[in-house]
Amino acid sequence: VSAYTLWALHHTKIRVARVPDGTIDRAKAYVRRYLEQKSGDPLFRVTATFIVDVLAEVGAPDTSYMSQLYAQKQDLPLFAKALLLHAMAISKQKPSLLAELTRDLENQLRIDGNSAYVSENLGDAYAVLMDSPARSSALALRALLVVKPDHPLGAKLARGLLGARRGGTWRSTQETAYALLSLDEYRKAQERVVPDF
């Protein structure tokens, strides 16, 4: 919850309102201490990918922990790989590492006509972390666009995300938040020219 709070405060600060620096600094220190605990919780490693992504977004990347997670990437679900790729890309990690993780992510996407999406059958293994195919697709889109803004799968993933809505909305606030943020990143990266309707 603290990592989500830090993430929300960061996005609030860059978009809407003033957030006291001390609040963000204390939150960064707290989530760093969480990483140092190396909990025995089976979800710890997957949770850690979210934390390193949040720390990278707020300008305080933990490259050492990114390296540890990268070494264990084969054991991560696709959404965690997308979080790790995003963190590594915005932290300017080695291009060879980014390329390998990007290929891994691309190879796990399902392309159906002019849409693409994540189709990873994890059952309820990560339900407590609010995992869903739409959220995973949004995380994949966001990560691929950071690595390569003109990524050829960008438009397909954006269409897949839009197609995942039911009644004009996604299933949860978690899906909605990531979908909207990812679609905004897609818009900025690949739809720079305002269409003349």
Side-chain angles (χ1 to χ4, degrees), residues 47-60:
T47 303
T49 61
F50 175 65
I51 292 172
V52 297
D53 186 44
V54 169
L55 287 171
E57 274 199 71
V58 300

Side-chain angles (χ1 to χ4, degrees), residues 35-54:
L35 284 178
E36 293 166 5
Q37 293 173 8
K38 299 191 191 260
S39 164
D41 180 347
L43 298 175
F44 179 79
R45 185 176 32 221
V46 176
T47 303
T49 61
F50 175 65
I51 292 172
V52 297
D53 186 44
V54 169

Side-chain angles (χ1 to χ4, degrees), residues 154-183:
K156 289 180 184 281
L157 279 165
R159 277 190 215 94
L161 264 179
L162 292 171
R165 294 175 300 170
R166 297 295 170 254
T169 189
W170 290 275
R171 287 184 329 162
S172 68
T173 55
Q174 188 73 195
E175 282 185 0
T176 301
Y178 278 107
L180 292 174
L181 287 170
S182 297
L183 289 169

Side-chain angles (χ1 to χ4, degrees), residues 180-193:
L180 292 174
L181 287 170
S182 297
L183 289 169
D184 188 46
E185 291 303 318
Y186 168 74
R187 177 191 60 82
K188 288 188 265 185
Q190 294 192 10
E191 293 186 350
R192 294 182 195 101
V193 177

Side-chain angles (χ1 to χ4, degrees), residues 52-124:
V52 297
D53 186 44
V54 169
L55 287 171
E57 274 199 71
V58 300
D62 189 325
T63 55
S64 171
Y65 214 91
M66 279 181 219
S67 296
Q68 291 176 46
L69 290 167
Y70 184 84
Q72 302 166 356
K73 68 183 181 303
Q74 70 280 356
D75 299 325
L76 296 173
L78 189 111
F79 73 88
K81 289 176 185 176
L83 287 165
L84 181 59
L85 176 59
H86 187 261
M88 292 176 70
I90 62 178
S91 301
K92 310 282 191 245
Q93 296 301 299
K94 291 181 184 174
S96 59
L97 299 179
L98 297 178
E100 186 176 335
L101 198 49
T102 298
R103 274 191 305 277
D104 193 14
L105 196 62
E106 291 166 339
N107 290 336
Q108 293 186 49
L109 295 176
R110 183 170 179 179
I111 299 173
D112 186 10
N114 66 354
S115 298
Y117 52 91
V118 170
S119 179
E120 184 177 37
N121 187 3
L122 300 172
D124 290 336

